[in-house]
Coordinates of all heavy atoms in Angstrom, one line a residue:
S16 N -4.6 12.1 -4.6 CA -5.6 12.6 -3.5 C -5.1 14.0 -3.1 O -3.9 14.4 -3.4 CB -5.6 11.6 -2.3 OG -4.3 11.8 -1.6
L17 N -5.9 14.7 -2.5 CA -5.6 16.1 -2.1 C -5.6 16.3 -0.6 O -6.4 15.7 0.1 CB -6.6 17.1 -2.7 CG -6.6 17.2 -4.2 CD1 -7.7 18.2 -4.6 CD2 -5.2 17.6 -4.7
S18 N -4.5 16.9 0.0 CA -4.6 17.2 1.4 C -5.4 18.4 1.6 O -5.8 19.1 0.8 CB -3.1 17.4 1.8 OG -2.7 18.7 1.3
P19 N -5.8 18.6 2.9 CA -6.6 19.8 3.2 C -6.1 21.2 2.7 O -6.8 22.0 2.3 CB -6.7 19.8 4.8 CG -6.5 18.4 5.1 CD -5.5 17.9 4.1
A20 N -4.8 21.2 2.6 CA -4.1 22.4 2.0 C -4.1 22.6 0.5 O -3.8 23.5 -0.1 CB -2.7 22.6 2.5
G21 N -4.6 21.4 -0.1 CA -4.7 21.4 -1.6 C -3.4 20.9 -2.3 O -3.3 20.8 -3.5
A22 N -2.4 20.5 -1.5 CA -1.2 19.9 -2.0 C -1.4 18.5 -2.4 O -2.0 17.8 -1.6 CB 0.0 20.1 -1.0
Q23 N -0.8 18.0 -3.4 CA -0.9 16.6 -3.8 C -0.1 15.7 -2.9 O 1.1 16.2 -2.6 CB -0.5 16.4 -5.3 CG -0.8 15.0 -5.8 CD -0.5 14.8 -7.2 OE1 0.2 15.7 -7.8 NE2 -0.9 13.7 -7.7
T24 N -0.5 14.6 -2.6 CA 0.2 13.6 -1.7 C 0.6 12.4 -2.5 O -0.1 12.2 -3.5 CB -0.5 13.3 -0.5 OG1 -1.7 12.7 -0.8 CG2 -0.8 14.5 0.4
A25 N 1.5 11.6 -2.0 CA 1.8 10.3 -2.7 C 0.6 9.3 -2.4 O -0.1 9.6 -1.5 CB 3.2 9.8 -2.1
L26 N 0.6 8.2 -3.0 CA -0.4 7.2 -2.9 C 0.3 5.9 -3.0 O 1.1 5.6 -3.9 CB -1.5 7.4 -4.0 CG -2.7 6.5 -3.9 CD1 -3.5 6.8 -2.6 CD2 -3.6 6.7 -5.1
I27 N -0.2 4.9 -2.2 CA 0.4 3.5 -2.3 C -0.6 2.7 -3.1 O -1.8 2.6 -2.7 CB 0.6 2.9 -0.9 CG1 1.8 3.7 -0.2 CG2 1.0 1.4 -1.1 CD1 2.1 3.1 1.1
L28 N -0.1 2.0 -4.2 CA -0.8 1.1 -5.0 C -0.5 -0.3 -4.5 O 0.7 -0.6 -4.3 CB -0.7 1.3 -6.4 CG -0.9 2.7 -7.0 CD1 -0.7 2.7 -8.4 CD2 -2.4 3.1 -6.7
V29 N -1.4 -1.2 -4.5 CA -1.1 -2.7 -4.0 C -1.4 -3.6 -5.1 O -2.3 -3.4 -5.9 CB -1.9 -3.0 -2.7 CG1 -3.3 -2.9 -2.9 CG2 -1.4 -4.3 -2.3
E30 N -0.5 -4.6 -5.3 CA -0.7 -5.6 -6.4 C -0.4 -7.0 -5.6 O 0.5 -7.1 -4.9 CB 0.3 -5.4 -7.5 CG 0.1 -6.4 -8.6 CD -1.2 -6.2 -9.3 OE1 -1.7 -5.1 -9.4 OE2 -1.8 -7.2 -9.6
P31 N -1.4 -7.9 -5.7 CA -2.7 -7.9 -6.4 C -3.6 -6.8 -5.7 O -3.4 -6.5 -4.6 CB -3.3 -9.3 -6.3 CG -2.5 -9.9 -5.1 CD -1.2 -9.2 -5.0
P32 N -4.5 -6.3 -6.6 CA -5.3 -5.1 -6.1 C -6.5 -5.4 -5.2 O -7.7 -5.2 -5.6 CB -5.7 -4.5 -7.6 CG -5.9 -5.8 -8.4 CD -4.7 -6.7 -8.0
W33 N -6.2 -6.0 -4.0 CA -7.2 -6.3 -3.1 C -6.7 -5.8 -1.7 O -5.6 -5.8 -1.4 CB -7.4 -7.8 -3.0 CG -8.1 -8.3 -4.2 CD1 -7.5 -8.8 -5.3 CD2 -9.5 -8.5 -4.4 NE1 -8.4 -9.3 -6.2 CE2 -9.7 -9.0 -5.7 CE3 -10.6 -8.2 -3.7 CZ2 -10.9 -9.3 -6.2 CZ3 -11.9 -8.5 -4.2 CH2 -12.0 -9.1 -5.5
T34 N -7.7 -5.3 -0.9 CA -7.4 -4.8 0.4 C -8.3 -5.3 1.5 O -9.4 -5.6 1.2 CB -7.4 -3.2 0.4 OG1 -6.9 -2.7 1.6 CG2 -8.8 -2.7 0.1
P35 N -7.8 -5.7 2.7 CA -6.3 -5.5 3.0 C -5.5 -6.5 2.3 O -5.9 -7.7 2.2 CB -6.4 -5.7 4.5 CG -7.5 -6.7 4.8 CD -8.6 -6.3 3.8
P36 N -4.3 -6.1 2.0 CA -3.3 -7.1 1.4 C -2.8 -8.0 2.5 O -2.7 -7.7 3.6 CB -2.2 -6.2 0.9 CG -2.3 -4.9 1.7 CD -3.7 -4.7 2.1
V37 N -2.4 -9.3 2.1 CA -1.9 -10.3 3.0 C -0.6 -10.8 2.4 O -0.5 -11.0 1.2 CB -2.9 -11.5 3.2 CG1 -4.1 -11.0 4.1 CG2 -3.5 -12.0 1.9
L38 N 0.3 -11.2 3.3 CA 1.6 -11.6 3.0 C 1.7 -12.7 1.9 O 2.4 -12.8 1.0 CB 2.5 -11.9 4.1 CG 3.1 -10.8 4.9 CD1 4.0 -11.3 6.0 CD2 4.0 -9.9 4.0
W39 N 0.7 -13.7 2.2 CA 0.8 -14.9 1.4 C 0.3 -14.7 0.0 O 0.3 -15.6 -0.9 CB 0.1 -16.1 2.1 CG -1.2 -15.8 2.7 CD1 -1.4 -15.5 4.1 CD2 -2.5 -15.7 2.2 NE1 -2.7 -15.3 4.4 CE2 -3.4 -15.4 3.2 CE3 -3.0 -15.9 0.9 CZ2 -4.8 -15.3 3.1 CZ3 -4.4 -15.7 0.7 CH2 -5.3 -15.4 1.8
D40 N -0.1 -13.5 -0.4 CA -0.5 -13.1 -1.8 C 0.7 -12.5 -2.5 O 0.6 -12.1 -3.6 CB -1.6 -12.0 -1.7 CG -3.0 -12.6 -2.1 OD1 -3.0 -13.7 -2.6 OD2 -3.9 -11.8 -1.9
Q41 N 1.9 -12.6 -1.9 CA 3.1 -12.0 -2.6 C 2.9 -10.6 -3.0 O 2.9 -10.3 -4.2 CB 3.6 -12.9 -3.8 CG 3.9 -14.3 -3.3 CD 4.3 -15.2 -4.5 OE1 4.4 -14.8 -5.6 NE2 4.6 -16.5 -4.2
V42 N 2.6 -9.7 -2.0 CA 2.3 -8.4 -2.3 C 3.4 -7.5 -2.8 O 4.5 -7.6 -2.2 CB 1.6 -7.8 -0.9 CG1 1.5 -6.3 -1.1 CG2 0.4 -8.5 -0.6
T43 N 3.1 -6.6 -3.7 CA 4.0 -5.6 -4.1 C 3.4 -4.2 -4.0 O 2.2 -4.0 -4.3 CB 4.4 -5.7 -5.5 OG1 5.1 -7.0 -5.8 CG2 5.4 -4.6 -6.0
L44 N 4.1 -3.3 -3.2 CA 3.6 -1.9 -3.1 C 4.3 -1.0 -4.0 O 5.5 -1.2 -4.2 CB 3.9 -1.5 -1.6 CG 3.2 -2.3 -0.5 CD1 3.5 -1.7 0.9 CD2 1.6 -2.4 -0.7
T45 N 3.6 -0.1 -4.6 CA 4.1 1.0 -5.5 C 3.7 2.3 -5.0 O 2.6 2.6 -4.6 CB 3.6 0.8 -6.9 OG1 3.9 -0.5 -7.4 CG2 4.1 1.8 -7.8
C46 N 4.8 3.2 -4.9 CA 4.5 4.6 -4.4 C 4.3 5.4 -5.6 O 5.2 5.6 -6.5 CB 5.7 5.1 -3.7 SG 5.4 6.7 -2.8
Q47 N 3.1 6.0 -5.7 CA 2.8 6.8 -6.9 C 2.6 8.3 -6.5 O 1.9 8.5 -5.5 CB 1.4 6.4 -7.5 CG 1.0 7.0 -8.8 CD -0.3 6.5 -9.3 OE1 -1.4 6.6 -8.7 NE2 -0.2 5.8 -10.4
G48 N 3.1 9.2 -7.3 CA 3.1 10.5 -7.0 C 3.9 11.3 -8.0 O 4.6 10.8 -8.8
S49 N 3.7 12.6 -8.1 CA 4.3 13.5 -9.1 C 5.7 14.0 -8.6 O 6.3 14.9 -9.2 CB 3.5 14.7 -9.4 OG 3.1 15.5 -8.3
G50 N 6.2 13.6 -7.4 CA 7.5 14.0 -6.9 C 8.6 13.6 -7.8 O 8.5 12.9 -8.8
T51 N 9.8 13.9 -7.3 CA 11.1 13.6 -8.0 C 11.2 12.1 -8.2 O 11.1 11.3 -7.2 CB 12.3 14.1 -7.2 OG1 12.0 15.4 -6.9 CG2 13.6 13.9 -7.9
T52 N 11.5 11.7 -9.4 CA 11.7 10.2 -9.8 C 12.9 9.7 -9.0 O 13.9 10.3 -9.0 CB 11.9 10.0 -11.3 OG1 10.8 10.6 -11.9 CG2 12.1 8.6 -11.6
G53 N 12.7 8.5 -8.4 CA 13.8 7.9 -7.6 C 14.1 8.4 -6.3 O 15.0 8.1 -5.7
A54 N 13.2 9.4 -5.9 CA 13.4 10.0 -4.6 C 12.3 9.5 -3.6 O 11.7 10.4 -3.0 CB 13.5 11.5 -4.7
T55 N 12.1 8.2 -3.5 CA 11.1 7.7 -2.7 C 11.6 7.1 -1.3 O 12.7 6.5 -1.3 CB 10.4 6.5 -3.4 OG1 9.8 7.0 -4.6 CG2 9.2 6.0 -2.5
T56 N 11.0 7.5 -0.2 CA 11.4 7.0 1.1 C 10.2 6.1 1.6 O 9.1 6.7 1.6 CB 11.7 8.1 2.1 OG1 12.8 8.9 1.6 CG2 12.1 7.5 3.4
W57 N 10.5 4.9 2.0 CA 9.5 4.1 2.6 C 9.6 4.1 4.1 O 10.7 4.1 4.7 CB 9.7 2.7 2.0 CG 9.3 2.5 0.6 CD1 10.1 2.6 -0.5 CD2 8.0 2.3 0.1 NE1 9.3 2.4 -1.6 CE2 8.0 2.2 -1.3 CE3 6.7 2.1 0.7 CZ2 6.9 2.0 -2.1 CZ3 5.6 1.9 -0.1 CH2 5.7 1.9 -1.5
Y58 N 8.4 3.9 4.8 CA 8.4 3.7 6.2 C 7.6 2.5 6.5 O 6.5 2.3 5.9 CB 7.7 5.0 6.8 CG 8.5 6.3 6.6 CD1 8.3 6.9 5.4 CD2 9.4 6.7 7.5 CE1 9.0 8.1 5.2 CE2 10.1 7.8 7.3 CZ 9.9 8.6 6.1 OH 10.6 9.8 5.9
K59 N 8.0 1.8 7.5 CA 7.2 0.6 8.0 C 7.0 0.9 9.6 O 8.0 1.1 10.3 CB 8.0 -0.6 7.8 CG 7.3 -1.9 8.4 CD 8.1 -3.1 8.2 CE 7.5 -4.4 8.9 NZ 7.8 -4.3 10.4
D60 N 5.8 0.8 10.0 CA 5.4 1.1 11.3 C 6.0 2.4 11.8 O 6.5 2.5 13.0 CB 5.8 -0.1 12.2 CG 5.1 -1.4 11.8 OD1 3.9 -1.2 11.3 OD2 5.7 -2.4 11.8
G61 N 6.1 3.4 11.0 CA 6.6 4.7 11.4 C 8.2 4.9 11.3 O 8.6 6.0 11.5
Q62 N 8.9 3.8 11.0 CA 10.3 3.9 10.9 C 10.8 3.8 9.4 O 10.2 3.0 8.7 CB 11.0 2.8 11.7 CG 10.6 2.8 13.1 CD 11.1 3.9 13.9 OE1 12.2 4.3 13.9 NE2 10.2 4.5 14.8
R63 N 11.9 4.5 9.1 CA 12.4 4.4 7.8 C 12.7 2.9 7.5 O 13.2 2.2 8.3 CB 13.7 5.2 7.6 CG 13.5 6.7 7.5 CD 14.8 7.5 7.4 NE 15.5 7.2 6.1 CZ 15.6 8.1 5.1 NH1 15.1 9.2 5.2 NH2 16.3 7.7 4.0
W64 N 12.4 2.5 6.3 CA 12.4 1.1 5.9 C 13.3 1.0 4.6 O 13.5 2.0 4.0 CB 11.0 0.7 5.6 CG 10.9 -0.8 5.3 CD1 10.5 -1.5 4.2 CD2 11.1 -1.9 6.2 NE1 10.5 -2.8 4.3 CE2 10.9 -3.1 5.5 CE3 11.6 -1.9 7.5 CZ2 11.1 -4.4 6.1 CZ3 11.8 -3.2 8.2 CH2 11.5 -4.4 7.5
G65 N 13.8 -0.2 4.3 CA 14.7 -0.4 3.2 C 14.1 0.0 1.9 O 13.1 0.6 1.8
Q66 N 14.9 -0.2 0.8 CA 14.4 0.1 -0.6 C 14.3 1.6 -0.8 O 13.4 2.0 -1.5 CB 13.0 -0.5 -0.8 CG 13.0 -2.1 -0.7 CD 13.9 -2.7 -1.7 OE1 14.0 -2.2 -2.8 NE2 14.4 -3.9 -1.5
Q67 N 15.2 2.4 -0.1 CA 15.1 3.9 -0.3 C 15.4 4.1 -1.8 O 16.3 3.6 -2.4 CB 16.1 4.5 0.6 CG 15.9 4.2 2.1 CD 14.5 4.5 2.6 OE1 14.0 5.6 2.3 NE2 14.0 3.7 3.3
G68 N 14.6 5.1 -2.4 CA 14.8 5.4 -3.8 C 14.0 4.6 -4.7 O 13.9 4.9 -6.0
H69 N 13.4 3.4 -4.3 CA 12.7 2.5 -5.2 C 11.3 2.9 -5.1 O 10.7 3.0 -4.0 CB 13.0 1.1 -4.9 CG 14.4 0.7 -5.2 ND1 14.9 0.3 -6.4 CD2 15.5 0.7 -4.3 CE1 16.2 0.0 -6.3 NE2 16.5 0.2 -5.1
N70 N 10.6 3.0 -6.3 CA 9.2 3.3 -6.3 C 8.3 2.1 -5.8 O 7.2 2.2 -5.5 CB 8.6 3.9 -7.6 CG 9.2 5.3 -7.8 OD1 9.4 6.0 -6.8 ND2 9.3 5.6 -9.0
H71 N 8.8 0.9 -6.1 CA 8.0 -0.3 -5.7 C 8.9 -1.4 -5.1 O 10.1 -1.5 -5.4 CB 7.2 -0.8 -6.9 CG 8.1 -1.2 -8.1 ND1 8.6 -2.4 -8.3 CD2 8.4 -0.4 -9.2 CE1 9.3 -2.4 -9.4 NE2 9.2 -1.2 -9.9
F72 N 8.3 -2.3 -4.3 CA 9.1 -3.4 -3.7 C 8.2 -4.5 -3.3 O 7.0 -4.2 -2.9 CB 10.1 -2.9 -2.7 CG 9.4 -2.6 -1.4 CD1 9.3 -3.5 -0.3 CD2 8.8 -1.3 -1.2 CE1 8.8 -3.2 0.9 CE2 8.2 -1.0 0.0 CZ 8.2 -1.9 1.0
P73 N 8.6 -5.7 -3.3 CA 7.8 -6.8 -2.7 C 7.8 -6.8 -1.2 O 8.9 -6.6 -0.6 CB 8.5 -8.1 -3.2 CG 9.9 -7.7 -3.6 CD 9.8 -6.2 -3.8
V74 N 6.7 -7.0 -0.6 CA 6.6 -6.9 0.9 C 6.9 -8.3 1.5 O 6.4 -9.3 1.0 CB 5.2 -6.5 1.4 CG1 5.1 -6.4 2.8 CG2 4.9 -5.0 0.8
T75 N 7.8 -8.4 2.5 CA 8.1 -9.6 3.1 C 7.8 -9.7 4.6 O 8.0 -10.7 5.2 CB 9.6 -9.9 2.9 OG1 10.4 -8.9 3.5 CG2 10.0 -10.1 1.5
E76 N 7.3 -8.6 5.1 CA 6.9 -8.5 6.5 C 5.6 -7.8 6.7 O 5.3 -6.8 6.0 CB 8.0 -7.8 7.3 CG 9.4 -8.5 7.4 CD 10.3 -7.7 8.3 OE1 9.9 -6.9 9.1 OE2 11.5 -7.9 8.1
K77 N 4.8 -8.3 7.7 CA 3.5 -7.6 7.9 C 3.9 -6.3 8.6 O 4.9 -6.0 9.2 CB 2.6 -8.4 8.9 CG 3.1 -8.6 10.3 CD 2.2 -9.4 11.0 CE 2.7 -9.5 12.6 NZ 1.7 -10.2 13.4
G78 N 2.9 -5.3 8.5 CA 3.1 -4.1 9.1 C 2.4 -3.0 8.4 O 1.6 -3.2 7.4
T79 N 2.5 -1.7 8.9 CA 1.8 -0.6 8.3 C 2.9 0.3 7.5 O 3.8 0.8 8.1 CB 1.1 0.3 9.4 OG1 0.2 -0.6 10.0 CG2 0.4 1.5 8.7
Y80 N 2.7 0.4 6.2 CA 3.6 1.1 5.3 C 3.1 2.4 4.8 O 1.9 2.5 4.6 CB 3.9 0.2 4.0 CG 4.6 -1.2 4.4 CD1 3.9 -2.2 4.8 CD2 6.0 -1.2 4.4 CE1 4.6 -3.4 5.1 CE2 6.6 -2.4 4.7 CZ 5.9 -3.5 5.1 OH 6.6 -4.6 5.5
T81 N 4.0 3.4 4.7 CA 3.7 4.6 4.0 C 4.9 4.9 3.2 O 6.0 4.4 3.4 CB 3.5 5.8 5.0 OG1 4.7 5.9 5.8 CG2 2.3 5.6 5.9
C82 N 4.8 5.8 2.2 CA 5.9 6.3 1.3 C 5.9 7.7 1.3 O 4.9 8.4 1.5 CB 5.9 5.6 -0.1 SG 4.5 6.2 -1.1
D83 N 7.0 8.3 0.9 CA 7.1 9.8 0.8 C 8.0 10.0 -0.5 O 9.1 9.5 -0.6 CB 7.9 10.3 2.0 CG 7.9 11.8 2.1 OD1 8.0 12.4 1.0 OD2 7.8 12.4 3.2
K84 N 7.4 10.7 -1.4 CA 8.2 11.1 -2.7 C 8.6 12.6 -2.5 O 7.7 13.4 -2.2 CB 7.3 10.9 -3.9 CG 7.1 9.5 -4.2 CD 6.3 9.3 -5.5 CE 7.1 9.5 -6.7 NZ 8.1 8.5 -7.0
R85 N 9.9 12.8 -2.6 CA 10.4 14.2 -2.5 C 9.6 15.1 -3.4 O 9.5 14.9 -4.6 CB 11.9 14.2 -2.8 CG 12.5 15.6 -2.4 CD 14.0 15.6 -2.8 NE 14.7 14.5 -2.1 CZ 15.7 13.9 -2.8 NH1 16.0 14.2 -4.0 NH2 16.3 12.9 -2.1
G86 N 9.0 16.1 -2.8 CA 8.2 17.1 -3.6 C 6.8 16.8 -3.7 O 6.0 17.6 -4.2
T87 N 6.4 15.7 -3.2 CA 4.9 15.3 -3.2 C 4.4 15.2 -1.7 O 3.3 15.7 -1.5 CB 4.7 14.0 -3.9 OG1 5.2 14.2 -5.3 CG2 3.2 13.7 -4.1
G88 N 5.1 14.5 -0.8 CA 4.6 14.3 0.5 C 4.3 12.8 0.8 O 4.4 12.0 0.0
R89 N 4.0 12.6 2.1 CA 3.7 11.2 2.5 C 2.4 10.7 2.2 O 1.4 11.5 2.2 CB 4.0 11.2 4.0 CG 3.9 9.7 4.6 CD 4.6 9.3 5.7 NE 5.9 10.0 6.1 CZ 6.5 9.6 7.2 NH1 5.9 8.8 8.1 NH2 7.6 10.2 7.5
S90 N 2.3 9.5 1.8 CA 1.0 8.8 1.4 C 0.3 8.4 2.8 O 0.8 8.4 3.8 CB 1.4 7.5 0.7 OG 1.9 6.5 1.7
P91 N -1.1 8.1 2.5 CA -1.8 7.5 3.6 C -1.2 6.0 3.8 O -0.5 5.6 2.9 CB -3.2 7.4 2.9 CG -3.2 8.4 1.9 CD -1.9 8.5 1.3
S92 N -1.4 5.5 4.9 CA -0.8 4.2 5.3 C -1.5 3.0 4.5 O -2.7 3.1 4.2 CB -0.9 4.0 6.7 OG -2.2 4.0 7.2
M93 N -0.8 2.0 4.4 CA -1.3 0.7 3.8 C -0.9 -0.4 4.8 O 0.3 -0.6 5.0 CB -0.7 0.4 2.5 CG -1.1 -0.9 1.8 SD -2.8 -1.1 1.5 CE -3.1 0.0 0.1
R94 N -1.8 -1.1 5.4 CA -1.5 -2.2 6.4 C -1.5 -3.5 5.7 O -2.5 -3.9 5.0 CB -2.6 -2.2 7.5 CG -2.3 -3.0 8.6 CD -3.1 -2.8 9.9 NE -2.9 -3.7 10.8 CZ -3.9 -4.5 11.4 NH1 -5.1 -4.2 11.1 NH2 -3.6 -5.3 12.3
V95 N -0.4 -4.2 5.8 CA -0.3 -5.5 5.2 C -0.4 -6.5 6.3 O 0.3 -6.4 7.3 CB 1.0 -5.7 4.5 CG1 1.2 -7.1 3.9 CG2 1.2 -4.7 3.4
L96 N -1.3 -7.5 6.2 CA -1.6 -8.5 7.2 C -0.9 -9.8 7.0 O -0.5 -10.1 5.9 CB -3.1 -8.7 7.4 CG -4.0 -7.5 7.5 CD1 -5.5 -7.9 7.5 CD2 -3.7 -6.7 8.7
D97 N -0.9 -10.6 8.1 CA -0.3 -11.9 8.0 C -1.3 -12.9 8.6 O -1.1 -14.0 9.1 CB 1.0 -12.1 8.7 CG 1.7 -13.4 8.4 OD1 1.4 -14.0 7.3 OD2 2.5 -13.9 9.1
D98 N -2.7 -12.6 8.4 CA -3.7 -13.3 8.9 C -4.0 -14.6 8.1 O -3.8 -14.6 6.9 CB -5.1 -12.5 9.0 CG -4.9 -11.3 9.9 OD1 -3.8 -11.1 10.6 OD2 -5.9 -10.5 10.0
M99 N -4.6 -15.6 8.8 CA -4.9 -16.9 8.1 C -6.2 -16.8 7.3 O -6.4 -17.5 6.3 CB -5.0 -18.0 9.1 CG -3.7 -18.3 9.8 SD -2.3 -18.7 8.7 CE -2.9 -20.3 8.0
L100 N -7.1 -15.9 7.7 CA -8.4 -15.8 7.0 C -8.7 -14.3 6.9 O -8.5 -13.5 7.9 CB -9.5 -16.4 8.0 CG -10.9 -16.3 7.4 CD1 -11.0 -17.1 6.1 CD2 -11.9 -17.0 8.4
V101 N -9.1 -13.8 5.8 CA -9.2 -12.4 5.5 C -10.4 -12.1 4.6 O -10.6 -12.9 3.6 CB -7.9 -11.7 5.0 CG1 -7.5 -12.3 3.6 CG2 -8.0 -10.2 4.9
L102 N -11.2 -11.0 4.8 CA -12.2 -10.6 3.9 C -11.7 -9.4 3.2 O -11.3 -8.4 3.8 CB -13.5 -10.2 4.7 CG -14.7 -9.8 3.9 CD1 -15.2 -10.9 3.0 CD2 -15.8 -9.2 4.8
Q103 N -11.7 -9.5 1.9 CA -11.0 -8.4 1.0 C -12.0 -7.8 0.2 O -13.0 -8.3 -0.3 CB -9.9 -9.0 0.2 CG -8.8 -9.6 0.9 CD -7.7 -10.2 0.0 OE1 -8.0 -11.0 -0.9 NE2 -6.4 -9.7 0.1
V104 N -11.7 -6.5 -0.2 CA -12.5 -5.7 -1.2 C -11.5 -5.3 -2.2 O -10.3 -5.2 -2.0 CB -13.2 -4.5 -0.5 CG1 -14.2 -5.0 0.5 CG2 -12.2 -3.5 0.1
P105 N -11.9 -4.9 -3.5 CA -11.1 -4.3 -4.4 C -10.3 -3.0 -3.9 O -10.9 -2.3 -3.2 CB -12.0 -4.0 -5.6 CG -13.2 -4.8 -5.4 CD -13.3 -5.0 -3.9
A106 N -9.0 -3.0 -4.3 CA -8.3 -1.9 -3.8 C -8.4 -0.7 -4.7 O -7.6 -0.3 -5.6 CB -6.8 -2.2 -3.8
R107 N -9.6 -0.1 -4.7 CA -9.9 1.1 -5.6 C -10.9 2.0 -4.9 O -11.5 1.5 -3.8 CB -10.4 0.6 -6.9 CG -11.8 -0.2 -6.9 CD -12.3 -0.5 -8.3 NE -13.5 -1.3 -8.2 CZ -14.7 -0.9 -8.0 NH1 -14.9 0.4 -7.8 NH2 -15.7 -1.7 -8.0
A108 N -11.1 3.1 -5.4 CA -12.1 4.0 -4.7 C -13.5 3.4 -4.9 O -13.9 3.0 -6.0 CB -12.1 5.3 -5.4
L109 N -14.3 3.4 -3.8 CA -15.6 2.8 -3.9 C -16.7 4.0 -3.6 O -16.4 4.8 -2.7 CB -15.8 1.7 -2.8 CG -14.9 0.5 -3.1 CD1 -15.1 -0.4 -1.9 CD2 -15.2 -0.2 -4.4
L110 N -17.7 4.0 -4.4 CA -18.7 5.1 -4.2 C -20.0 4.5 -3.7 O -20.2 3.3 -4.0 CB -18.9 5.9 -5.5 CG -17.6 6.6 -6.0 CD1 -17.9 7.2 -7.3 CD2 -17.1 7.6 -5.0
E111 N -20.8 5.2 -3.0 CA -22.1 4.8 -2.6 C -22.9 4.2 -3.8 O -22.9 5.0 -4.8 CB -22.9 5.9 -1.9 CG -24.2 5.4 -1.3 CD -24.9 6.5 -0.5 OE1 -24.2 7.5 -0.2 OE2 -26.1 6.3 -0.3
G112 N -23.5 3.1 -3.7 CA -24.2 2.5 -4.8 C -23.5 1.5 -5.8 O -24.0 0.8 -6.6
D113 N -22.1 1.6 -5.6 CA -21.3 0.6 -6.4 C -21.6 -0.8 -6.0 O -21.9 -1.1 -4.8 CB -19.8 0.9 -6.1 CG -19.2 2.1 -6.9 OD1 -20.0 2.7 -7.6 OD2 -18.1 2.4 -6.7
T114 N -21.5 -1.7 -7.0 CA -21.6 -3.1 -6.7 C -20.2 -3.6 -6.4 O -19.3 -3.3 -7.1 CB -22.1 -4.0 -7.9 OG1 -23.5 -3.4 -8.2 CG2 -22.1 -5.4 -7.7
V115 N -20.0 -4.3 -5.3 CA -18.7 -4.7 -4.8 C -18.5 -6.2 -4.7 O -19.5 -6.8 -4.1 CB -18.4 -4.0 -3.4 CG1 -17.0 -4.4 -2.9 CG2 -18.5 -2.6 -3.5
T116 N -17.5 -6.7 -5.1 CA -17.3 -8.1 -4.9 C -16.3 -8.3 -3.7 O -15.2 -7.7 -3.6 CB -16.5 -8.8 -6.1 OG1 -17.3 -8.6 -7.3 CG2 -16.2 -10.2 -5.9
L117 N -16.8 -9.1 -2.7 CA -16.0 -9.4 -1.6 C -15.3 -10.8 -1.7 O -15.9 -11.7 -2.3 CB -16.8 -9.4 -0.3 CG -17.6 -8.2 0.0 CD1 -18.5 -8.3 1.3 CD2 -16.7 -7.0 0.2
R118 N -14.1 -11.0 -1.2 CA -13.4 -12.2 -1.2 C -13.1 -12.6 0.2 O -12.5 -11.9 1.0 CB -12.1 -12.1 -2.0 CG -12.2 -11.8 -3.4 CD -11.0 -12.1 -4.2 NE -9.7 -11.8 -3.7 CZ -8.5 -12.0 -4.3 NH1 -8.5 -12.6 -5.5 NH2 -7.4 -11.6 -3.7
C119 N -13.6 -13.8 0.6 CA -13.3 -14.4 1.9 C -12.2 -15.5 1.6 O -12.4 -16.5 0.8 CB -14.5 -15.1 2.5 SG -14.1 -15.7 4.2
R120 N -11.0 -15.2 2.1 CA -9.8 -16.1 1.7 C -9.1 -16.6 2.9 O -8.9 -15.9 3.8 CB -8.9 -15.3 0.8 CG -9.6 -14.8 -0.5 CD -8.8 -14.1 -1.4 NE -7.7 -15.0 -1.9 CZ -6.5 -14.5 -2.0 NH1 -6.1 -13.3 -1.7 NH2 -5.5 -15.4 -2.4
G121 N -8.6 -17.8 2.8 CA -7.8 -18.3 3.9 C -6.9 -19.5 3.3 O -7.0 -19.9 2.2

């Protein structure tokens, strides 16, 4: 993705690839970007979070996560829920006119 200044930013990928992600899906987040390999900083709810230097990790707590790759910048946030019932959409870019599969899960 591009920031307004045209600089590339990091991006969080979620596995399994559904959004919003929920804890009971055994979610793994991956920080993708062209910055320095192994120089990833993770944030949860705005505070530095464990797994510094790792590009991916399994999520064990609900919250709002962002990542920062040195030389690339901070990603948009990814909120991980702990809800009992959730309506999910595929975790990919959706364009007007696309056919979308929704999942109601609980």
